[in-house]
Amino acid sequence: MTVFLKQFEERFRASFVEDLKRTLEQTRNERVYACAFGTDSDFVTLFLAVNTEESLARHIADMKKKGLCNSKEDEIYFRWGCSEYQYGDDTHFNDISKLLYAVENAYDYKDQLIEIIARVVQETEPSVFAEYGQSKEDIVFFVSMTDDDQAEELENESVALMTRPELIEGFLKRYEQ
């Protein structure tokens, strides 16, 4: 493992649980269904985005009032588009993004970065979630790109690395509804 990847893992491991706890505290009375790690096509940013069933319902209702949600496809986008998620916008992993930005061609490490993220998620004890009234087993975890047509492929590949198998199939079919 390169020095860069070791630094990334150390920083991600140190930041993730604390940022997750802060976000789960905000969702304490709601049911989290998705936890996404957003990045860009160059893999030089990283942020945590979390959504709940309740925040999704509020967001869709608000978008319908504004005339911005007029179809089932729109609702699917709001459910799975991590840039629409309502929680986590204060958890941008700034120190990690700075590290990613500083390395030459961070995208070349994409697969290893996703593996590290997945390993840390897998190793996070279910009790961390339970402390805030959530069940890790009920959450879909995935990595997404906010600015690239390859986002769906990345999401589909990464979900299998960190999500309970019973939830993966539904996620993979999310646009077929």
Side-chain angles (χ1 to χ4, degrees):
M1 185 180 287
T2 69
V3 171
F4 162 69
L5 290 173
K6 284 182 182 179
Q7 289 177 332
F8 176 83
E9 183 166 358
E10 288 170 5
R11 290 184 187 185
F12 184 76
R13 191 174 294 280
S15 297
F16 173 62
V17 172
E18 290 309 311
D19 283 358
L20 178 67
K21 285 179 177 182
R22 187 169 46 249
T23 302
L24 291 177
E25 177 63 37
Q26 297 170 4
T27 68
R28 188 177 285 278
N29 298 315
E30 300 181 18
R31 191 175 77 71
V32 173
Y33 71 87
C35 179
F37 302 93
T39 188
D40 56 40
S41 58
D42 294 323
F43 258 75
V44 296
T45 61
L46 187 66
F47 65 91
L48 176 68
V50 172
N51 219 17
T52 66
E53 293 294 349
E54 295 82 358
S55 65
L56 174 65
R58 288 189 303 268
H59 190 54
I60 287 175
D62 187 46
M63 293 295 106
K64 284 182 177 182
K65 286 180 189 173
K66 295 176 181 177
L68 299 172
C69 183
N70 304 312
S71 67
K72 186 70 174 170
E73 290 80 22
D74 291 342
E75 290 183 24
I76 292 169
Y77 167 73
F78 289 125
R79 174 172 283 282
W80 297 115
C82 70
S83 60
E84 297 293 329
Y85 285 7
Q86 303 300 300
Y87 298 101
D89 54 347
D90 59 343
T91 62
H92 287 262
F93 300 127
N94 289 332
D95 61 324
I96 297 170
S97 293
K98 188 174 180 181
L99 174 69
L100 291 169
Y101 188 76
V103 72
E104 188 173 327
N105 297 320
Y107 184 83
D108 293 344
Y109 297 96
K110 172 182 79 85
D111 293 337
Q112 294 97 323
L113 296 172
I114 293 169
E115 288 173 13
I116 290 168
I117 291 168
R119 184 170 51 251
V120 171
V121 168
Q122 291 169 348
E123 293 171 359
T124 301
E125 291 296 324
S127 61
V128 172
F129 297 84
E131 180 180 339
Y132 298 93
Q134 305 296 336
S135 171
K136 182 180 179 183
E137 296 295 312
D138 295 335
I139 300 172
V140 175
F141 296 90
F142 62 98
V143 177
S144 184
M145 286 182 191
T146 58
D147 66 343
D148 198 291
D149 291 339
Q150 296 177 7
E152 186 176 347
E153 181 181 332
L154 176 64
E155 293 165 358
N156 290 349
E157 290 172 5
S158 64
V159 73
L161 299 175
M162 55 188 119
T163 300
R164 185 169 61 98
E166 293 81 2
L167 298 177
I168 295 170
E169 186 174 341
F171 181 81
L172 295 177
K173 294 180 179 180
R174 65 198 178 280
Y175 298 118
E176 296 174 16
Q177 301 173 4

